[in-house]
Structure formats: structure tokens, C-alpha cells
Amino acid sequence: VHTVVVADFDPTSIHLTAQSVNGVPGFILRGVVGVTHHIEYTDSLANPTWLPAGALKLESAQQTWIDTSSGGKPTRFFRVLLP
């Protein structure tokens, strides 16, 4: 079981919806076309160390991002940084 918790820091600019594809965590990001968002993750919120998970440049107003590196982690937390 994967638990996906997402947080955005400016909800007026982007919208995130948690999504799992074949048990792999991810989310749908809605925002401004052409803007690149950097995605970070941590496996624990107790004194978290945020690590880069990738970047997503929106080619349309809504895109899906999947964390293919989660590798069976029972819990992973994500955040999306605005440019």
C-alpha cells in the first residue's frame, strides 16, 4: 500500500490531486502551461530531508507525474516547488 501526501505552497497557482498508477504513487498537477515545477520527496516527515524527484514542465494545463523511483516504499511525501 502506498500513501501519497502532496503539498503545494501556493494553491492559487497550482492544484495537485494524488493518484496511483498500478500501485506507483504520483499526482495530477494542474497549472500554467509552459511552467516547470520541481518535485521533491522525503520518506519521513520527522526531521525531513527533501530530495529531488524530478521536474515537470506543463505541456498542457493538466499532467500526470508518477514516482517510478519509489520502489515499494510504504510511505513517501512529496512537495512541488513553484518557480
Side-chain angles (χ1 to χ4, degrees):
V1 172
H2 290 279
T3 302
V4 179
V5 176
V6 294
D8 62 41
F9 299 102
D10 185 359
T12 62
S13 295
I14 63 173
H15 182 265
L16 300 173
T17 303
Q19 175 178 329
S20 178
V21 176
N22 296 324
V24 179
F27 52 83
I28 297 169
L29 180 93
R30 292 178 187 90
V32 178
V33 174
V35 174
T36 300
H37 300 281
H38 295 276
I39 303 160
E40 296 182 339
Y41 76 92
T42 187
D43 293 327
S44 172
L45 291 179
N47 197 20
T49 299
W50 293 97
L51 301 171
L56 179 64
K57 181 177 181 179
L58 291 180
E59 302 296 332
S60 63
Q62 174 178 307
Q63 279 183 245
T64 300
W65 181 85
I66 302 297
D67 181 20
T68 57
S69 71
S70 62
K73 298 282 184 184
T75 304
R76 184 162 273 189
F77 302 92
F78 299 95
R79 68 182 181 183
V80 176
L81 305 177
L82 297 171

